[in-house]
Amino acid sequence: MWQYFLRRFIYMLFTVWIISVITFAVIQLPPGDYVTTMVSQMIQSGMDDLPPDFEEQIRAQYGLDQPMYVQYGKWLRNIVVEGKFGYSYIYRRDAKDIILERLPVSFAISAFSVLFVWIVALPIGIYSAVKQYSKADYFVTFVGFIGLAIPNFLFALILMFISYRYMDRAMIGLFSQEYETAPWSLAKFIDLVKHLWIPVIIIGTAGTAGLIRTMRANLLDELNKPYVDTARSKGLPERVLLWKYPVRHALNPFVSTIGWILPSLIAGELIVSIVLNLPTTGPVVYNALLDQDMYVAAGIILILSTLTVFGTFISDLLLALLDPRLRLQ
């Protein structure tokens, strides 16, 4: 087991390094840089008497005149050695501080969304498979397709209207106005929970719909295998039979989906955060990409990409616990 864990861990570290190279290279692809954007804004505002070498001086000051591999080496060294993601040109401070301010809220929303997805998708998927072609199965299938078809931002607007229409307030942000700057208390926590359910449901709906279909298909495949008929013929109670064998085997592909659930939830959080005015990484990375604040954008993209690798690593470990054959490969 430890050899399997160590091998997967080394694969994860190597993959994260490759992702860091690709992330930094992609950030450099758009023409120009932050200095180009800044100078263009200064000219548009009427400052057209800039010195001829102004761009070169500012670019040298920020280190943007160096080759890309030199900039990448410094960026990666600062992350590994000092835990810094670079200097934010817009906010005039370290990008790490900006990311850390928004990352906990993003993680909290994503964590609750994952719990929501699993708590809803697992029992509904099992029930839909056991009651195949029933009215409940058709209803769940219909709701699942609706969840996959409706864009997150449209769903956000619908829930905002419902909250405003029937709760006398539009659930925008994570706190009411009187609690935004207040210290933490029980009342502030309750207010957070009141606002948290809307982004959790919105972000988790698409993942829930997809996993319901995955669990249903996996369990139906297991229920039609000969070992189920054999166990049933020996008089094993239906509930014990269902949970001891088919559900356990059907969980293998279900667990493997963790790798894409985590990044997809956080990626879906971007538009929802803009619509609901949530203090997450979504609006920050959006503005950073628009203004070419490369170190903020690269840092957040690297973290989100690493979540994919980390989610796959967790999936591998859980699959190894569920299926001992994987540990022997």
Side-chain angles (χ1 to χ4, degrees):
M1 181 65 182
W2 284 107
Q3 293 180 349
Y4 177 84
F5 171 82
L6 182 61
R7 186 168 63 251
R8 291 295 178 179
F9 184 75
I10 293 175
Y11 291 162
M12 182 184 70
L13 293 181
F14 178 74
T15 306
V16 170
W17 174 68
I18 295 296
I19 289 175
S20 70
V21 175
I22 297 175
T23 298
F24 198 84
V26 169
I27 292 297
Q28 300 277 358
L29 286 180
D33 49 31
Y34 172 74
V35 176
T36 306
T37 304
M38 180 184 67
V39 171
S40 176
Q41 292 175 351
M42 294 173 67
I43 294 176
Q44 291 178 2
S45 63
M47 300 177 61
D48 52 357
D49 56 345
L50 299 175
D53 59 344
F54 179 78
E55 281 193 46
E56 287 73 13
Q57 293 178 1
I58 299 299
R59 192 169 282 111
Q61 178 181 347
Y62 288 142
L64 297 176
D65 59 334
Q66 298 175 338
M68 186 178 68
Y69 65 87
V70 175
Q71 297 182 45
Y72 169 76
K74 292 182 177 179
W75 179 65
L76 186 63
R77 177 188 175 279
N78 289 334
I79 293 177
V80 175
V81 178
E82 302 179 12
K84 297 181 178 180
F85 285 86
Y87 183 74
S88 172
Y89 308 128
I90 299 176
Y91 298 96
R92 308 297 180 185
R93 53 197 178 109
D94 194 276
K96 180 187 71 175
D97 299 333
I98 302 166
I99 296 173
L100 291 181
E101 287 177 359
R102 299 297 186 102
L103 207 57
V105 179
S106 295
F107 279 156
I109 294 177
S110 299
F112 280 107
S113 299
V114 169
L115 291 177
F116 171 79
V117 168
W118 275 67
I119 290 174
V120 174
L122 182 60
I124 292 181
I126 294 174
Y127 182 83
S128 181
V130 173
K131 303 294 183 180
Q132 186 183 17
Y133 302 136
S134 64
K135 292 182 179 180
D137 183 27
Y138 286 125
F139 176 76
V140 169
T141 301
F142 174 76
V143 173
F145 285 139
I146 293 296
L148 289 172
I150 297 180
N152 283 343
F153 73 90
L154 180 59
F155 196 23
L157 293 175
I158 293 174
L159 288 184
M160 285 174 59
F161 170 77
I162 293 175
S163 65
Y164 179 78
R165 178 68 176 80
Y166 296 101
M167 301 176 64
D168 296 330
R169 63 174 63 185
M171 292 299 183
I172 300 176
L174 289 180
F175 299 100
S176 301
Q177 186 175 359
E178 61 270 21
Y179 291 108
E180 287 183 355
T181 57
W184 279 101
S185 62
L186 179 60
K188 183 173 182 177
F189 177 76
I190 294 175
D191 186 71
L192 172 64
V193 173
K194 289 180 179 179
H195 288 75
L196 194 61
W197 67 273
I198 289 184
V200 166
I201 292 177
I202 294 171
I203 297 171
T205 298
T208 300
L211 282 187
I212 288 175
R213 305 303 300 169
T214 301
M215 188 63 197
R216 180 183 183 277
N218 295 339
L219 188 54
L220 283 175
D221 184 59
E222 293 296 328
L223 289 174
N224 293 324
K225 290 184 177 179
Y227 75 87
V228 177
D229 296 330
T230 302
R232 186 178 289 116
S233 66
K234 291 183 178 181
L236 197 65
E238 197 68 24
R239 179 173 298 180
V240 176
L241 166 65
L242 177 67
W243 288 95
K244 188 174 182 179
Y245 298 108
V247 170
R248 181 180 177 182
H249 294 162
L251 280 176
N252 282 8
F254 191 82
V255 169
S256 65
T257 57
I258 295 178
W260 58 263
I261 284 181
L262 287 175
S264 65
L265 290 178
I266 295 197
E269 167 261 330
L270 192 152
I271 298 179
V272 174
S273 297
I274 295 175
V275 174
L276 297 180
N277 192 27
L278 302 179
T280 63
T281 57
V284 173
V285 70
Y286 176 74
N287 294 326
L289 290 173
L290 287 180
D291 297 327
Q292 293 187 306
D293 196 358
M294 54 181 291
Y295 291 119
V296 174
I300 296 178
I301 292 175
L302 176 62
I303 292 175
L304 298 185
S305 301
T306 304
L307 277 175
T308 305
V309 182
F310 184 69
T312 304
F313 176 68
I314 294 177
S315 298
D316 291 340
L317 296 184
L318 293 177
L319 287 173
L321 294 175
L322 287 173
D323 192 347
R325 295 173 298 178
L326 296 176
R327 301 196 295 266
L328 300 177
Q329 293 181 358

